[in-house]
Amino acid sequence: NRNQYRSEDGLSGIYMDSEGVDKADPAWGDMALTTQATEGVTYRTTSTPDNWSNAMLSFWDDFSADGQLTELPQPADDDPMASLAVSQRIEPGQTRAFTFFLTWRFPNRKAWSPTVVGNYYCEQFPDAWTAAERIVPRLPELEAATIDFVGALLGSSYPDVVKEAALFNLATLRSQTV
């Protein structure tokens, strides 16, 4: 497994992929943990040996010392944990938002059968980092379209039970449950 820090096109973060998983396996894919923060971004692309208590303690000791992460010199094992942090000074009475994005691409979904049915989104983006690059700048537009859709459904003349059933189940309808 590989974790690589990247900073480009208004995103900073960690791109995670693997050369150790067969590219035909349902577990093969990649992920990206990103932020649009431009200052105070620190990261670790590896950890101490992936013994849960040691790796977490190492992370916490590093982060709690100064609110930043320090990259380790080399991977400790084949299954490294990665971390991303954003550090900002917050004065008394102030509030700040820290936004992180998690994108992924796993093309070999089988939907409980031996046949790969795939995922439509995998045809849109070659990898998780590209998905973040293309989706994150569009979030205001996508959020507005979602709010418009929900508003149109709620403002319709459908009975309340139909509106509730439709809104509560949309995520399920887009999954392999149906």
Side-chain angles (χ1 to χ4, degrees):
N1 295 328
R2 295 183 301 194
N3 299 326
Q4 305 164 346
Y5 177 76
R6 295 181 179 178
S7 185
E8 52 196 44
D9 297 326
L11 287 177
S12 295
I14 300 169
Y15 175 68
M16 299 166 263
D17 69 342
S18 177
E19 291 292 325
V21 177
D22 183 334
K23 292 186 182 200
D25 192 285
W28 180 78
D30 59 324
M31 297 173 52
L33 173 60
T34 58
T35 181
Q36 287 182 299
T38 56
E39 295 179 7
V41 177
T42 57
Y43 61 92
R44 289 175 92 170
T45 59
T46 190
S47 58
T48 57
D50 198 4
N51 168 326
W52 182 253
S53 62
N54 288 341
M56 288 302 297
L57 184 58
S58 172
F59 159 80
W60 184 247
D61 287 346
D62 181 19
F63 181 72
S64 65
D66 59 6
Q68 298 184 13
L69 298 171
T70 304
E71 177 71 316
L72 298 176
Q74 63 187 36
D77 58 28
D78 293 335
D79 190 19
M81 287 191 270
S83 305
L84 183 66
V86 175
S87 177
Q88 294 182 8
R89 182 167 178 79
I90 302 173
E91 298 296 335
Q94 285 185 316
T95 60
R96 296 273 171 98
F98 295 81
T99 305
F100 296 89
F101 306 97
L102 183 61
T103 52
W104 59 88
R105 185 178 183 278
F106 289 89
N108 301 323
R109 181 171 63 92
K110 291 190 175 183
W112 300 296
S113 74
T115 306
V116 172
V117 297
N119 287 302
Y120 174 73
Y121 71 85
C122 292
E123 297 173 18
Q124 306 303 304
F125 310 109
D127 58 55
W129 188 269
T130 304
E133 286 177 325
R134 293 186 189 163
I135 293 169
V136 169
R138 293 185 58 218
L139 284 176
E141 166 195 342
L142 295 169
E143 182 179 8
T146 301
I147 291 170
D148 287 348
F149 169 77
V150 171
L153 183 59
L154 291 176
S156 74
S157 60
Y158 293 120
D160 287 343
V161 294
V162 171
K163 295 177 194 178
E164 180 180 306
L167 289 175
F168 287 10
N169 291 293
L170 284 175
T172 303
L173 291 173
R174 294 281 301 155
S175 74
Q176 60 192 21
T177 300
V178 176

